[in-house]
Amino acid sequence: QVQLVESGGGLVQAGGSLRLSCAASGSFLRLATMGWYRQAPGKQRELVARITSGGSTNYADSVNGRFTISKDNAKNTVYLQMNSLKLEDTAVYYCTCNAVLGTGTWYDGWGQGTQVTVSS
């Protein structure tokens, strides 16, 4: 299976920046799409950004132009650079991946989440 470990969350003032990282490890042949979701209190989990194995990206409208997703294939790590943070970006951020396991089956993984809190 695949283990995803997030880091980089924390408390930041509105207008500030944070960079989240997510490292994947385990027994997989390759990683396909990796991405970030978030869930704010009382709200449903929503897609923030994702990146395919070929490097194509897409973003939620609410973060487009402020957040950038990238990856380091050699490190099996995906990043989320978050700039111009707003109060409404406060949420638990979850890393996700689609991976092909050694058995040839697909696996959808989730990290445990990292808290991002934006203060005024």
Side-chain angles (χ1 to χ4, degrees), residues 32-36 49-58 69-71 78-79:
T33 301
M34 297 189 75
W36 294 92
R50 58 187 168 201
I51 184 167
T52 68
S53 57
S56 298
T57 60
N58 66 290
I69 189 169
S70 61
K71 63 188 177 79
V78 65
Y79 305 97

Side-chain angles (χ1 to χ4, degrees), residues 83-103:
N83 299 328
S84 302
L85 283 160
K86 303 177 180 180
L87 297 178
E88 52 264 41
D89 294 319
T90 295
V92 177
Y93 284 70
Y94 297 91
C95 176
T96 71
C97 78
N98 305 122
V100 179
L101 304 182
T103 56

Side-chain angles (χ1 to χ4, degrees), residues 42-55:
K43 294 188 177 181
Q44 289 189 331
R45 194 172 294 189
E46 62 175 359
L47 173 68
V48 177
R50 58 187 168 201
I51 184 167
T52 68
S53 57

Side-chain angles (χ1 to χ4, degrees), residues 4-9 19-23 36 77-80 95 114:
L4 299 174
V5 179
E6 302 117 330
S7 60
R19 187 192 194 208
L20 305 183
S21 300
C22 173
W36 294 92
T77 299
V78 65
Y79 305 97
L80 186 67
C95 176
T114 185

